[in-house]
Amino acid sequence: MKEIYQQLGIDERVFAYGQQFEEKLKERFQQIDQTAEYNQLKVIKAMQMHKVSAECFMGSNGYGYNDLGRDTLEEVYAECFRGEAALVRPQITCGTHALALALLSNLRPGDELLSPVGKPYDTLEEVIGIRPSDGSLAEYGISYRQVDLLADGGFDYENIKKAIHEKTKLVTIQRSKGYQTRPTFSVAQIGELISFIKNIKPDIICMVDNCYGEFVEKKEPLEVGADMMVGSLIKNPGGGLAPIGGYIVGKKECVDHAAYRLTSPGLGKEVGASLGVIQSFYQGLFLAPTVTAAALKSAIFAANIYESLGFPVIPNSWESRHDIIQAVTLKSKEALIAFCKGIQAAAPVDSHVVPEPWAMPGYDDEVIMAAGAFVQGSSIELSADGPLREPFAVYFQGGLTWYHGKLGILMSLQKLYEAGLVNL
Ligand SMILES: *Cc1c(COP(=O)(O)O)cnc(C)c1O
């Protein structure tokens, strides 16, 4: 084993350093495998119940009327995630699009949107109109209110109660911390928040931004009272195979609203050809539980290694996980660059490319990104990025297989070691 790692550029010393953590994490990895096993069976059961067959993979073109594969896949998603209906489409271009669709279709002028979990994901600021933007909810006369989390990351129930009034139509709950430092919520915590809100106003639509959360736990947000959950297919549920796409699952009425907005009033779910991508949606969903487990193991492995070397990590080495993102504070520009170079060098695609910090639209500081992915921008594949500013934190996620995740992290450590930035 040592030799093959050496052939890939990992020193004996770096390899040995990693091995001790793998030993230590055995029990934890077993628990992750158990969740994956449960979720794998959940997916298979849904596919069997809805009689997935070879005809489902044929795809359609043009209007896409009577697309058996598309319609059956939506039934499978609804079953698997415990919704009444689902919209799972290649015409939904990304996670932000899926979220915008869910919001713009379920809110009407005069309604108010509430985020009881603080600031939403960056790209949603323009969807909502927190930052003025063409076509935002604000332009349509939909107001927005936000209740920040308490200093300890908990829900501010008192102010949430005060923020709910007769116009509050929809509540958006972001499960993953995204690129913030607050904790990611467990499905159980999300359930408590939803019960509290529904107790005050039962007809509020509770939407969960489920990006990066799918299959991390045995339960998903619809099982604890959410009306809609929304995500991207180039994250967890696409299993690394879906080349594009987003989903909305939940109450039939909410999903129908979204379908009429995605295509057209009167047409809804009836149109939208699945073209040639539908088989990858099925196969990706089938693989998603084990792919998510691989990404989780990689994140935990990274947290353990870097925490032991004195770098602050969020989440830390032992806390429970509710999404696949790992932040590591590398404390210097040199370490951040070395880390990203390691992740890139371990990739199956573009390993010969060396990432460099660069100015990016929408960012004040230069950003460095490492990704050698089969699907462009896929963040269920091993990837890392970070802005070049204090405290030089890298956000690391993905790994289609645990062995690739492990190689990536060892390679990042190798680069830091070679540059004399860590002592092993
Ligand atoms: C990734 C992500 C989004 C947006 O998804 P894109 O596919 O990048 O548009 C929204 N919310 C959260 C929490 C995310 O992680």
Side-chain angles (χ1 to χ4, degrees):
M1 194 66 86
K2 250 183 347 206
E3 276 161 38
I4 183 89
Y5 273 102
Q6 259 168 3
Q7 288 164 18
L8 280 151
I10 306 288
D11 257 41
E12 209 172 312
R13 209 172 184 138
V14 172
F15 176 71
Y17 196 79
Q19 281 313 95
Q20 46 165 336
F21 289 99
E22 198 176 342
E23 273 308 306
K24 225 184 81 187
L25 290 168
K26 263 201 175 124
E27 224 169 277
R28 196 128 177 240
F29 282 13
Q30 254 169 24
Q31 283 168 8
I32 292 171
D33 287 335
Q34 260 182 28
T35 303
E37 181 176 355
Y38 180 88
N39 285 329
Q40 179 73 80
L41 298 181
K42 189 161 84 178
V43 170
I44 293 174
K45 181 165 159 266
M47 290 189 173
Q48 291 181 348
M49 274 180 75
H50 292 279
K51 300 194 168 67
V52 173
S53 63
E55 290 75 62
C56 292
F57 306 147
M58 305 244 275
S60 64
N61 56 24
Y63 292 100
Y65 292 133
N66 303 314
D67 184 325
L68 177 73
R70 176 197 68 206
D71 295 347
T72 304
L73 181 70
E74 289 178 342
E75 288 172 2
V76 168
Y77 259 71
E79 182 70 41
C80 183
F81 294 130
R82 310 279 192 271
E84 293 171 5
L87 190 65
V88 187
R89 303 279 169 130
Q91 287 84 8
I92 302 177
T93 55
C94 61
T96 304
H97 186 189
L99 289 157
L101 187 60
L103 293 171
L104 281 155
S105 62
N106 280 286
L107 289 159
R108 294 289 178 271
D111 289 342
E112 186 159 282
L113 168 68
L114 170 67
S115 171
V117 295
K119 187 182 105 54
Y121 199 74
D122 275 13
T123 54
L124 284 188
E125 291 185 3
E126 283 179 282
V127 172
I128 295 167
I130 301 172
R131 277 184 280 146
S133 169
D134 202 334
S136 69
L137 292 171
E139 278 197 347
Y140 286 91
I142 295 155
S143 56
Y144 170 71
R145 200 177 281 236
Q146 177 177 313
V147 178
D148 289 334
L149 295 169
L150 296 170
D152 67 357
F155 305 126
D156 184 353
Y157 285 117
E158 201 182 311
N159 282 311
I160 293 170
K161 188 170 182 183
K162 281 186 202 153
I164 295 173
H165 53 97
E166 76 280 2
K167 283 188 170 177
T168 315
K169 172 80 177 292
L170 200 153
V171 163
T172 178
I173 302 167
Q174 185 181 311
R175 176 174 175 179
S176 169
K177 65 183 170 304
Y179 299 123
Q180 292 171 269
T181 49
R182 64 137 164 114
T184 286
F185 306 123
S186 67
V187 172
Q189 282 174 305
I190 291 172
E192 283 164 29
L193 178 58
I194 292 173
S195 306
F196 178 81
I197 289 165
K198 296 250 180 192
N199 257 328
I200 299 167
K201 193 166 187 271
D203 63 348
I204 288 186
I205 299 168
C206 291
M207 179 186 93
V208 175
D209 173 353
N210 207 32
C211 281
Y212 285 131
E214 298 88 357
F215 298 121
V216 172
E217 298 185 42
K218 289 178 183 158
K219 275 192 178 176
E220 298 289 343
L222 295 178
E223 294 168 74
V224 294
D227 300 295
M228 254 195 298
M229 61 180 237
V230 182
S232 162
L233 296 198
I234 63 166
K235 293 180 179 172
N236 310 15
L241 293 186
I244 191 171
Y247 76 84
I248 299 172
V249 190
K251 291 260 162 68
K252 184 174 182 306
E253 197 188 346
C254 296
V255 172
D256 281 346
H257 282 313
Y260 288 121
R261 170 98 196 183
L262 175 66
T263 64
S264 156
L267 299 181
K269 294 175 87 176
E270 304 291 318
V271 295
S274 60
L275 304 170
V277 299
I278 200 77
Q279 186 178 345
S280 67
F281 282 20
Y282 279 102
Q283 212 168 349
L285 179 68
F286 175 73
L287 292 178
T290 49
V291 168
T292 303
L296 266 177
K297 288 177 185 174
S298 306
I300 292 169
F301 186 63
N304 275 268
I305 287 194
Y306 281 96
E307 191 179 72
S308 77
L309 293 167
F311 298 100
V313 293
I314 303 174
N316 70 23
S317 61
W318 50 264
E319 68 189 277
S320 73
R321 302 272 163 160
H322 309 290
D323 69 10
I324 63 165
I325 301 182
Q326 182 64 50
V328 181
T329 301
L330 291 161
K331 300 195 278 196
S332 77
K333 181 178 160 182
E334 293 72 29
L336 173 58
I337 295 172
F339 185 102
C340 290
K341 286 187 173 168
I343 297 296
Q344 188 76 37
V349 182
D350 289 335
S351 65
H352 53 284
V353 170
V354 180
E356 297 286 349
W358 210 255
M360 293 270 299
Y363 293 87
D364 291 338
D365 304 277
E366 285 188 330
V367 177
I368 185 163
M369 297 189 166
F374 294 101
V375 172
Q376 193 200 344
S378 166
S379 42
I380 188 62
E381 297 186 54
L382 192 66
S383 47
D385 47 79
L388 271 83
R389 62 161 180 255
E390 296 276 352
F392 299 100
V394 72
Y395 296 90
F396 158 91
Q397 67 268 307
L400 293 185
T401 70
W402 149 237
Y403 305 116
H404 177 222
K406 178 178 170 182
L407 174 67
I409 294 147
L410 292 180
M411 194 65 90
S412 72
L413 186 58
Q414 176 74 32
K415 298 286 181 197
L416 269 88
Y417 178 62
E418 282 171 10
L421 295 163
V422 288
N423 287 317
L424 302 182

